[in-house]
């Protein structure tokens, strides 16, 4: 029986190179590699050898004989990808590329942030000889969204941190955790000790609705709720009103489905997960029976991934879809086709007396109701309009409804946050850059020795694995600048930098190895 992929991949592509019969696609050299949510195993050519399972760092590949009942849809999802003819290449394992000329080394690079984009950038740099990388993060524990953004019950996704452990154990990798660049250290001070600095700080703020009542108690960013149940140390421990019968989630991406699943699931199913103890206690006392998910646009524009929806459909919860669902048609992207088919399957599911999740499409909140705290949401109807550029937008239509609730979780996206000493593109909420090379303004001159990768570079979209190709592009720009002699030699060394950090932040958690020979104690716990 063939193997199947059951979740959005890390895009490490280890499975592709491990497969002896080229049955996993798309491959990194195929045009659709960066556009799909996951990779797919061809059931007709898979020889059931299991090489891909061993190679996968995220445990995303399973024998079709070992799937749980909830995972059975992935058999059809994997097979569907191959029902449409696509040109395929026979991919050879990558050969390490000499990006940096030997006569130019040694090279020292600081990376601000320790999430996926940061660790992938570090890995790409450390493939080069005589290069050292120092990662700095304001949190005391590394790996960013893998640890604090992935829901506690998605243990397989969290296991990509084992790959990050391997990367961080490489010679030349060092880290300073619990150090806030912009507070304890400045950008200028980093450039005094490193040839280059890469910012991989993600998008640290949330987008607002911009409607009346958004500041009421009980209307909070979904990101705060995620940080709460994941026990993120830099977040206060707020209390959420879980005594309300109905919660409303605005937005229909993966985070929206995550919080809806956590609110309606059995707390006992979370006992052996990574959930914060105080969150588990609160969920055990929760009175929430229904979660309504509001989406401005229609089902085809749903931002959640196929694996996220499959996971939700396998839970012990009633799911209701309000409104019409479009029929499938030729030419739909593979991911949209899968989502539409799964949403249609919901209509055939019986609805009983369980907790329930309601998908309400073509609905946008117009006002959060209440005086001191949230008592309800006014919801306006919308319709779809296709602009001349092909963009599908939601515009107001006739009709207003009211939903009673005491809890509104806003999940409509994230925004980058300005960094002291660096330019910032406010409309795009990113640091202006050209393929990772920071610019003083959009279309302007480069900021010497300064680079970005991840969401602060391209905006808050893509999956964990998208950061790998993003980091590769940034590192290539850095290597070109170094080879061309555009990066000045820093006057300070690694020993000087170590003393500076410890003087500014005595509570630093230092790890890895330093080029000056001192052995620093590693403090990089696993997820």
């Amino acid at each position: 029986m063939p193997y199947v992929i059951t979740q959005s991949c890390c895009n490490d592509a280890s499975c592709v190179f491990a497969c002896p019969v080229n049955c996993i696609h798309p491959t990194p050299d195929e045009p659709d590699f960066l556009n799909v949510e996951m990779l797919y195993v061809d059931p007709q050519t898979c020889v059931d050898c299991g090489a891909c399972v061993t190679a996968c760092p995220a445990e995303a590949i399973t024998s079709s004989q070992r799937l749980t009942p909830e995972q059975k849809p992935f058999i059809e999802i994997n097979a569907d990808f191959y029902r449409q003819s696509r040109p395929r290449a026979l991919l050879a394992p990558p050969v390490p590329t000499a990006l940096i000329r030997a006569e130019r080394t040694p090279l020292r690079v600081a990376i601000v942030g320790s999430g996926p984009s940061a660790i992938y950038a570090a890995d790409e740099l450390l493939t080069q000889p005589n290069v050292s990388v120092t990662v700095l993060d304001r949190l005391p524990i590394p790996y960013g969204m893998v640890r604090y953004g992935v829901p506690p019950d998605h243990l397989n996704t969290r296991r990509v941190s084992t790959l990050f452990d391997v990367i961080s154990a490489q010679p030349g990798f060092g880290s300073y955790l619990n150090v806030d660049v912009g507070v304890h250290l400045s950008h200028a001070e980093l450039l005094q000790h490193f040839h280059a600095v890469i910012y991989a700080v993600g998008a640290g703020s949330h987008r607002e609705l911009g409607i009346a009542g958004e500041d009421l108690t009980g209307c909070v960013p979904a990101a705060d709720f995620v940080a709460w149940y994941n026990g993120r140390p830099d977040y206060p421990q707020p209390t959420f009103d879980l005594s309300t019968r109905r919660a409303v989630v605005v937005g229909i991406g993966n985070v929206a489905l995550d919080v809806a699943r956590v609110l309606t699931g059995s707390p006992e199913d979370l006992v052996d997960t990574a959930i914060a103890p105080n969150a588990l206690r609160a969920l055990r006392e929760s009175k929430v029976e229904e979660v309504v998910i509001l989406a401005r646009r229609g089902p085809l524009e749903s931002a959640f991934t196929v694996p996220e929806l499959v996971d939700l459909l396998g839970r012990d919860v009633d799911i209701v879809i309000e409104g019409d669902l479009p029929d499938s048609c030729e030419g739909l992207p593979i991911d949209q086709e899968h989502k539409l088919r799964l949403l249609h399957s919901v209509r055939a599911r019986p609805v009983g007396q369980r907790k329930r999740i309601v998908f309400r499409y073509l609905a946008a909140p117009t006002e959060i109701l209440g005086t001191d705290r949230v008592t309800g949401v006014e919801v306006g109807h919308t319709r779809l309009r296709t602009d001349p550029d092909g963009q599908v937008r939601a515009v107001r239509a006739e009709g207003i409804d009211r939903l009673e609730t005491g809890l509104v979780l806003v999940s409509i996206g994230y925004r980058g946050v300005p960094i002291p000493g660096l330019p910032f593109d406010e409309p795009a909420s990113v640091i202006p850059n050209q393929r990772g090379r920071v610019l003083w303004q959009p279309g302007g001159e480069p900021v010497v020795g300064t680079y970005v990768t991840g969401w602060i570079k391209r905006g808050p979209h893509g999956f964990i694995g998208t950061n790998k190709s993003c980091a590769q592009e940034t590192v290539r720009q850095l290597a070109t600048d170094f080879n061309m002699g555009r990066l000045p030699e820093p006057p300070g060394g690694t020993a000087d930098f170590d003393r500076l950090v410890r003087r500014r932040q005595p509570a630093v958690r230092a790890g890895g190895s330093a080029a000056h020979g001192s052995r620093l104690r590693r403090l990089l716990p696993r997820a």
Side-chain angles (χ1 to χ4, degrees):
M1 295 292 288
Y3 283 82
V4 294
I5 295 177
T6 60
Q7 64 187 59
S8 295
C9 304
C10 67
N11 285 28
D12 180 72
S14 299
C15 60
V16 173
F17 302 123
C19 178
V21 294
N22 193 36
C23 76
I24 303 177
H25 294 274
T27 62
D29 61 342
E30 293 170 350
D32 43 359
F33 179 75
L34 295 179
N35 299 322
V36 295
E37 297 173 350
M38 56 189 287
L39 305 184
Y40 304 90
V41 178
D42 185 352
Q44 299 300 317
T45 56
C46 177
V47 294
D48 198 21
C49 68
C52 56
V53 177
T54 303
C56 178
E59 298 188 21
I61 309 176
T62 306
S63 168
S64 57
Q65 292 179 313
R66 298 180 180 177
L67 294 175
T68 65
E70 295 78 15
Q71 293 175 320
K72 292 291 185 182
F74 284 109
I75 296 176
E76 190 72 10
I77 287 170
N78 276 252
D80 270 352
F81 185 76
Y82 295 91
R83 295 196 173 110
Q84 178 180 341
S85 178
R86 292 178 172 87
R88 295 294 171 215
L90 183 61
L91 188 66
V95 177
T97 304
L99 296 175
I100 298 171
R101 297 205 305 263
E103 68 270 19
R104 294 291 306 162
T105 56
L107 169 66
R108 299 199 306 276
V109 180
I111 300 178
V112 182
S114 69
S117 59
I119 301 301
Y120 281 130
D123 188 40
E124 191 70 16
L125 284 162
L126 292 173
T127 63
Q128 306 299 306
N130 210 9
V131 174
S132 63
V133 171
T134 299
V135 167
L136 301 103
D137 198 293
R138 63 190 181 88
L139 296 181
I141 298 175
Y143 303 158
M145 67 176 293
V146 170
R147 189 176 299 274
Y148 297 119
V150 175
D153 56 341
H154 281 188
L155 297 178
N156 281 351
T157 304
R158 283 172 167 256
R159 287 192 182 103
V160 75
S161 64
T162 60
L163 170 64
F164 294 169
D165 284 339
V166 172
I167 293 171
S168 64
Q170 294 180 87
F173 183 100
S175 66
Y176 292 98
L177 305 178
N178 210 31
V179 174
D180 193 349
V181 173
V183 176
H184 300 116
L185 300 169
S186 69
H187 173 64
E189 287 171 328
L190 292 180
L191 286 178
Q192 287 291 305
H193 298 86
F194 297 92
H195 293 91
V197 183
I198 299 176
Y199 285 88
V201 294
S205 183
H206 66 279
R207 295 189 181 277
E208 297 181 347
L209 294 170
I211 61 176
E214 192 171 5
D215 57 347
L216 289 173
T217 300
C219 180
V220 294
D224 287 3
F225 190 72
V226 173
W228 171 70
Y229 63 58
N230 277 330
R232 183 165 168 165
D234 62 330
Y235 270 63
Q237 295 303 310
T239 57
F240 294 92
D241 182 12
L242 303 185
S243 65
T244 181
R245 187 190 71 83
R246 175 190 291 128
V248 173
V249 179
V250 183
I252 196 161
N254 281 353
V255 172
L257 266 60
D258 284 340
V259 298
R261 190 183 67 255
V262 169
L263 282 168
T264 57
S266 169
E268 300 315 306
D269 291 340
L270 296 171
V271 169
D272 293 324
T273 71
I275 192 167
N278 63 314
L280 182 59
R281 288 192 297 270
L283 289 168
R284 279 176 166 152
E285 299 174 359
S286 170
K287 304 301 181 185
V288 175
E289 298 177 3
E290 177 184 85
V291 175
V292 177
I293 299 175
L294 302 179
R296 292 181 300 114
R297 296 186 293 173
L300 287 177
E301 292 74 42
S302 298
F304 54 73
T305 61
V306 170
E308 189 77 24
L309 181 57
V310 171
D311 182 29
L312 183 63
L313 296 183
R315 303 294 173 133
D316 185 24
V317 61
D318 288 335
I319 299 177
V320 176
I321 298 175
E322 295 188 350
D324 297 329
L325 287 173
D327 294 326
S328 183
C329 60
E330 289 188 12
L332 281 181
I334 187 72
D335 297 329
Q336 282 189 340
E337 186 178 333
H338 288 323
K339 291 174 189 177
L340 194 56
R341 184 181 301 136
L342 291 166
L343 289 171
H344 273 289
S345 74
V346 171
R347 291 279 169 83
R349 292 161 56 108
V351 176
Q353 301 300 314
R354 299 177 295 182
K355 293 181 180 180
R356 73 177 197 160
I357 297 173
V358 179
F359 286 64
R360 179 176 285 198
Y361 287 102
L362 299 177
T366 57
E367 184 179 352
I368 308 298
L369 305 174
T371 304
D372 298 320
R373 61 172 303 110
V374 172
T375 59
V377 181
E378 184 179 84
V379 180
H381 298 188
T382 64
R383 59 180 177 85
L384 298 182
R385 182 187 71 195
T386 303
D387 290 348
D389 62 0
Q391 182 73 28
V392 177
R393 302 184 187 278
V395 296
R396 285 293 304 275
E398 292 184 2
I400 291 286
D401 300 320
R402 290 193 175 190
L403 295 175
E404 292 185 2
T405 183
L407 177 62
V408 177
L409 300 173
V410 180
S411 182
I412 58 173
Y414 296 86
R415 288 181 53 84
V417 176
I419 297 171
L422 292 181
F424 190 71
D425 183 349
E426 188 65 39
S429 72
V430 298
I431 293 177
N433 71 93
Q434 183 178 39
R435 303 178 65 187
R437 187 186 282 118
V438 172
L439 307 176
W440 282 113
Q441 60 186 7
E445 293 298 314
V447 180
V448 175
T450 310
Y451 306 85
V452 284
T453 187
W455 281 5
I456 197 63
K457 168 188 173 183
R458 66 181 191 272
H461 54 81
F463 315 108
I464 289 176
T466 311
N467 293 294
K468 188 176 180 70
S469 54
C470 182
Q472 289 172 337
E473 179 183 63
T474 294
V475 169
R476 284 195 292 270
Q477 306 309 307
L478 189 158
T480 297
D481 289 346
F482 186 63
N483 290 336
M484 297 296 291
R486 298 169 184 159
L487 305 183
E489 190 69 22
T494 52
D496 300 322
F497 185 70
D498 186 63
R499 286 191 291 268
L500 174 64
V501 172
R502 294 176 186 278
R503 184 170 68 250
R504 296 283 182 80
Q505 170 56 310
V508 63
R509 304 182 75 189
S513 59
H516 57 79
S518 66
R519 297 182 60 83
L520 301 178
R521 186 164 54 95
R522 291 189 73 243
L523 288 169
L524 298 177
R526 296 164 70 116

